[in-house]
Amino acid sequence: MIEIKHAFLLYARASIEYAGRAKSSLEEGNYLIIRKNDGTLMIHGASLLTARNYQPAGARMTFGNNQFISIRKNEKIIITIHESIHYYEPQDWSICRPQMSMTERQLCKQITIKIEELLEDKILQVIPEYMTPYGPIDLLAINSENLHHVIEVKRGRAAISSCTQVKRYMQYLQEINKKVKGWVMSPAISSKALNYLNKNSLHWKQVHH
Amino acid sequence: MIEIKHAFLLYARASIEYAGRAKSSLEEGNYLIIRKNDGTLMIHGASLLTARNYQPAGARMTFGNNQFISIRKNEKIIITIHESIHYYEPQDWSICRPQMSMTERQLCKQITIKIEELLEDKILQVIPEYMTPYGPIDLLAINSENLHHVIEVKRGRAAISSCTQVKRYMQYLQEINKKVKGWVMSPAISSKALNYLNKNSLHWKQVHH
DNA sequence: AGTTCAGTGATGCGT
DNA sequence: ACGCATCGCTGAACT
């Protein structure tokens, strides 16, 4: 029973048992097993992006008796190796992460700059991430007559859940006696969501990256 | 410029550009590049479960001039290879998927069996996945007086969004003049969600796997 | 093709 | 540590 600390790739004929939040077993076959030195474990099949079984960073692994056992909190994966086909240990594996652009945060900033044009209203103040007991409002814009514009921003296509978010925040502001108007702002919106907005007197404004 | 159809693993010094829904660039370093023959592409760094860059099944890849280019719909990844360190092509890679248990579907079945005990009501009919224009209701239970119990089931800890789901479904049933009562059933629930339920006259019932 | 939701979601940021 | 929102979420089921 040896503790494994290093990263490796193993292509092997194996079978896998998992138990934790859920439970699964994967029948014997050829799989790609990847372990990173932060504890991450992935067992990949021939198709799809998502691993057949996995454990996030922090898992601890041991090997003995042709079995890898990886444990993290209440979750356990047992990999039984029937035949090892290809093994490799990557060296100097890079830790870098990609630099992203076009995120929701950036979209919020662009909206803030053009806020009066988008709302067609004279705005005194725009508060990002305004905290309520029902969660944070992406953008809260207040006009000269103390009308509160509740704005939910989505970087992709907005769905019904974005509309119910707005309603929930509006409900809170109404509870504390504010006048409110609700908005979803996104590059696109599903037809069902648009229908729901209309029925509930909410508004959608198209915005672009 | 060759089209790549097969699966391979490549550990290489590379740099990556991605553009699509978002945009990113990953600086030169050693990464593990995995391609499956369904088009799946992953570029993995030394840490974390999620790939640095990726494309799901269906992407088409070409190679030429030391660059892999993978394209899927409006999204493009360019991998520039500076140095190839290790290369392998897995054979007879297994397509099997794990058999899961303890899913939400199974929890719904258990709830259905004990429905009268949980609701403390005489139930004539339980309909799973009852379709509405606002989405499907996990379980709809109807009593002898035509009261409709709207039940949202969560296999983990329920959050506020589960409560707004219930409210949305109730809203629809009220629009078509049904008497309704709303429930969240889960092994656990967040305090904010519980608070929101109480304010909105909804109910939570603890259920176990 | 469009839209919804489940997920062992994962991951990051706040308390 | 828990709670919560985002994600290039992915993947699946259904219209």
Side-chain angles (χ1 to χ4, degrees):
Chain A
M1 211 71 150
I2 317 157
E3 176 151 11
I4 310 276
K5 297 273 194 186
H6 57 276
F8 68 86
L9 317 183
L10 173 60
Y11 187 64
R13 187 157 56 80
S15 45
I16 290 99
E17 296 294 322
Y18 154 74
R21 283 165 292 186
K23 208 163 165 335
S24 76
S25 60
L26 181 56
E27 67 178 89
E28 183 174 330
N30 292 340
Y31 303 103
L32 174 64
I33 301 159
I34 299 171
R35 197 193 117 101
K36 302 183 181 186
N37 61 17
D38 66 353
T40 298
L41 173 65
M42 296 181 279
I43 294 122
H44 271 278
S47 66
L48 295 186
L49 190 59
T50 49
R52 298 297 194 254
N53 289 104
Y54 58 87
Q55 263 172 342
R60 304 180 113 230
M61 178 179 262
T62 57
F63 180 74
N65 220 9
N66 282 327
Q67 285 188 328
F68 291 97
I69 298 180
S70 181
I71 293 177
R72 182 186 182 263
K73 297 186 178 174
N74 274 338
E75 311 207 272
K76 188 184 203 173
I77 287 179
I78 302 177
I79 307 173
T80 305
I81 303 293
H82 303 290
E83 184 193 0
S84 181
I85 301 169
H86 181 81
Y87 182 78
Y88 178 69
E89 289 179 13
Q91 305 296 321
D92 299 313
W93 200 348
S94 184
I95 206 79
C96 302
R97 312 274 289 269
Q99 288 241 288
M100 294 281 303
S101 48
M102 295 171 64
T103 61
E104 183 178 305
R105 204 174 199 84
Q106 293 187 349
L107 187 53
C108 280
K109 279 184 192 164
Q110 289 181 35
I111 289 169
T112 303
I113 293 166
K114 299 193 291 183
I115 194 74
E116 297 199 321
E117 182 190 328
L118 291 165
L119 298 180
E120 297 172 29
D121 195 2
K122 188 103 191 117
I123 300 301
L124 297 183
Q125 197 186 5
V126 183
I127 307 164
E129 301 279 314
Y130 181 87
M131 248 311 164
T132 77
Y134 297 171
I137 302 172
D138 281 344
L139 293 172
L140 181 64
I142 304 169
N143 81 358
S144 49
E145 286 157 3
N146 207 35
L147 172 66
H148 289 54
H149 295 274
V150 174
I151 306 165
E152 177 66 25
V153 178
K154 285 291 156 212
R155 57 168 304 294
R157 173 170 290 222
I160 278 195
S161 62
S162 306
C163 312
T164 54
Q165 263 184 68
V166 174
K167 269 193 79 171
R168 171 157 39 103
Y169 302 141
M170 288 170 72
Q171 183 187 341
Y172 166 71
L173 290 173
Q174 282 165 342
E175 282 169 11
I176 59 172
N177 299 312
K178 304 295 182 192
K179 272 188 303 176
V180 293
K181 188 167 175 179
W183 299 82
V184 170
M185 295 196 183
S186 61
I189 189 165
S190 76
S191 58
K192 281 192 182 174
L194 198 51
N195 177 49
Y196 187 85
L197 283 177
N198 290 334
K199 273 209 177 144
N200 290 272
S201 304
L202 307 172
H203 307 267
W204 176 61
K205 193 82 190 182
Q206 189 172 30
V207 290
H208 302 279
H209 294 279
Chain B
M1 210 70 151
I2 317 157
E3 176 151 12
I4 310 277
K5 298 273 195 184
H6 57 276
F8 68 86
L9 318 182
L10 173 60
Y11 187 64
R13 186 157 56 81
S15 45
I16 290 98
E17 297 293 322
Y18 155 75
R21 280 165 294 186
K23 208 162 162 340
S24 77
S25 59
L26 181 56
E27 68 177 89
E28 184 175 330
N30 292 340
Y31 303 104
L32 174 63
I33 301 158
I34 300 170
R35 197 192 118 99
K36 302 183 180 186
N37 61 17
D38 66 353
T40 298
L41 172 66
M42 296 181 278
I43 294 121
H44 271 279
S47 65
L48 295 186
L49 190 59
T50 50
R52 298 299 194 255
N53 289 105
Y54 57 87
Q55 261 171 344
R60 306 181 112 229
M61 177 179 261
T62 57
F63 180 74
N65 219 8
N66 281 327
Q67 285 188 328
F68 290 98
I69 298 180
S70 181
I71 293 176
R72 184 187 180 259
K73 296 185 179 176
N74 275 338
E75 310 208 274
K76 187 184 202 173
I77 288 179
I78 302 176
I79 307 173
T80 305
I81 304 294
H82 302 292
E83 184 192 1
S84 182
I85 301 169
H86 181 81
Y87 182 79
Y88 179 68
E89 288 179 12
Q91 305 296 320
D92 299 314
W93 202 348
S94 184
I95 205 77
C96 302
R97 314 272 289 270
Q99 289 240 286
M100 295 281 304
S101 49
M102 296 171 65
T103 62
E104 181 179 304
R105 205 175 198 83
Q106 293 187 348
L107 186 52
C108 279
K109 278 185 194 165
Q110 289 181 36
I111 289 170
T112 303
I113 292 166
K114 299 192 292 182
I115 194 72
E116 297 199 322
E117 181 190 329
L118 291 165
L119 298 179
E120 297 172 30
D121 195 3
K122 188 104 191 117
I123 300 302
L124 296 184
Q125 195 185 6
V126 182
I127 308 164
E129 301 279 312
Y130 181 87
M131 246 312 163
T132 77
Y134 297 171
I137 301 172
D138 281 344
L139 292 173
L140 181 64
I142 305 169
N143 81 357
S144 49
E145 286 157 4
N146 207 36
L147 172 66
H148 289 55
H149 295 274
V150 174
I151 307 165
E152 177 66 26
V153 179
K154 287 288 157 212
R155 58 173 300 294
R157 172 171 291 223
I160 275 197
S161 60
S162 306
C163 312
T164 54
Q165 264 184 67
V166 174
K167 268 194 80 171
R168 172 154 43 100
Y169 303 142
M170 288 169 73
Q171 183 186 342
Y172 165 71
L173 290 174
Q174 282 165 342
E175 281 170 12
I176 58 171
N177 299 313
K178 304 295 182 193
K179 272 188 303 177
V180 293
K181 189 165 176 180
W183 298 83
V184 170
M185 295 194 182
S186 61
I189 189 164
S190 76
S191 58
K192 276 191 185 175
L194 199 51
N195 177 49
Y196 186 85
L197 284 177
N198 290 335
K199 277 214 175 137
N200 290 272
S201 303
L202 306 173
H203 308 266
W204 176 59
K205 193 80 191 183
Q206 189 172 30
V207 290
H208 302 281
H209 293 279

